[in-house]
Amino acid sequence: MKKALFIFLSAALGNILAANAQYYNTTGKHLYYETHNSRNNITRQSLSFVKQTEAGNDTLHITLADSVLPLNEEKKGFMSRQKIAYTQDNTIVYMMDETSMSDDMKIIMDNKEKEEEVMKKLSSEGCIYIVLHNRVRKGEKMKKSKYTFKAGPIKMTTTLNGEYQGFERLKTPAGEFDCIKLTYTMKANMLLFFSETVNITEWYAQGIGLVKNEEDGNKEKTNKYLHICHEEVLRLGNMVEQILSLGL
């Protein structure tokens, strides 16, 4: 009887823990990534960490700071933010929204006053996002999403379509992780002036978030992977100082 009860409790605990799996960085540590572009043979380093959390209406809102290190005097470093929401056992990762629009402008413009003036003339609608949870099935379609960016009479529309590839154990320099694997395509169109299609494959792990990202687009073909996810990142010293100097 006790054995049966033990088995039942173990199974129940496993289901509870699985149901509450969070596919974002819950470690409180900096995550170090390397991204290699095979088209130009350039590798860049970046750090990702939780900048802010806020709870409300049964939802936990997380803001990640992603700082890309300077490569040289021409290719300077920059920082962007990514919003994540955890609600009802779902982790929602936002790829494009009003926050990403603001961050992109800060990267492009180096004058604060001009930046504020330009921002008043810009607007956006919708968002690009992915939903992660432990109930996904291989071949299951991801929810489609759409984001429109407007600058006066000109607008650019981006769409996301994809499907879940189930679960896969992935080995990286940072260790081995049980991940959700997904593939999706992002298409951007701006009238007749611009069109780009990027095919993306990603792996996400519980308590970590993004473990690996592969992108194949018109101009770039990149492979981004988690390199360090422990206190070892503090040994990078100068790198952390460069990241902090970018300003958060």
Side-chain angles (χ1 to χ4, degrees):
M1 186 66 168
K2 287 185 178 181
K3 183 177 181 180
L5 179 60
F6 175 77
I7 294 174
F8 171 78
L9 291 175
S10 298
L13 180 59
N15 287 332
I16 292 172
L17 292 176
N20 290 285
Q22 298 161 307
Y23 286 88
Y24 61 89
N25 183 6
T26 61
T27 66
K29 301 172 183 176
H30 289 59
L31 305 181
Y32 169 68
Y33 295 89
E34 289 193 353
T35 303
H36 179 72
N37 186 346
S38 60
R39 298 271 167 84
N40 56 20
N41 201 31
I42 291 178
T43 300
R44 301 202 69 168
Q45 295 79 33
S46 62
L47 284 180
S48 176
F49 55 94
V50 175
K51 176 175 169 55
Q52 181 180 348
T53 60
E54 183 178 347
N57 297 325
D58 298 324
T59 301
L60 179 63
H61 300 277
I62 305 102
T63 300
L64 296 182
D66 189 4
S67 299
V68 178
L69 289 172
L71 189 62
N72 49 46
E73 290 186 0
E74 294 183 358
K75 294 186 179 295
K76 298 181 180 180
F78 59 88
M79 190 204 74
S80 60
R81 291 171 293 168
Q82 183 175 50
K83 293 195 300 186
I84 294 176
Y86 178 71
T87 178
Q88 298 179 352
D89 300 331
N90 293 310
T91 298
I92 305 171
V93 181
Y94 294 92
M95 307 293 189
M96 288 183 173
D97 61 4
E98 71 280 358
T99 299
S100 57
M101 179 183 70
S102 173
D103 288 339
D104 288 343
M105 289 307 303
K106 289 179 181 178
I107 294 171
I108 296 171
M109 306 191 69
D110 55 5
N111 185 300
K112 184 68 175 178
E113 291 184 2
K114 288 184 178 180
E115 176 192 326
E116 293 178 352
E117 181 180 346
V118 171
M119 286 295 294
K120 294 178 181 178
K121 301 178 182 179
L122 304 179
S123 64
S124 64
E125 181 179 345
C127 60
I128 296 291
Y129 64 92
I130 60 175
V131 180
L132 305 171
H133 52 76
N134 283 345
R135 305 176 300 281
V136 301
R137 301 183 303 275
K138 185 175 181 179
E140 178 184 349
K141 298 296 183 181
M142 297 168 59
K143 189 170 183 179
K144 297 179 181 180
S145 54
K146 179 179 177 181
Y147 171 78
T148 300
F149 172 81
K150 299 178 181 179
I154 301 174
K155 72 175 182 178
M156 183 175 73
T157 299
T158 303
T159 58
L160 180 150
N161 292 281
E163 66 179 37
Y164 299 100
Q165 301 299 322
F167 295 87
E168 182 177 300
R169 188 163 183 80
L170 188 67
K171 186 176 182 179
T172 75
E176 294 189 16
F177 302 91
D178 292 315
C179 302
I180 289 180
K181 180 181 179 181
L182 53 154
T183 57
Y184 57 93
T185 298
M186 290 181 66
K187 293 183 178 180
N189 292 286
M190 184 173 68
L191 300 177
L192 300 176
F193 307 108
F194 173 83
S195 178
E196 183 176 14
T197 299
V198 182
N199 296 310
I200 302 169
T201 302
E202 291 183 325
W203 291 259
Y204 287 83
Q206 298 178 22
I208 295 294
L210 181 66
V211 173
K212 185 177 180 180
N213 163 286
E214 294 178 350
E215 297 191 11
D216 189 355
N218 300 356
K219 299 179 181 179
E220 296 184 338
K221 186 175 183 179
T222 60
N223 185 340
K224 177 179 180 178
Y225 60 90
L226 182 63
H227 199 278
I228 300 173
C229 65
H230 300 294
E231 286 82 355
E232 297 171 43
V233 75
L234 297 178
R235 301 175 189 173
L236 299 174
N238 292 334
M239 179 180 295
V240 175
E241 291 182 7
Q242 290 177 15
I243 289 295
L244 296 178
S245 69
L246 297 176
L248 296 176

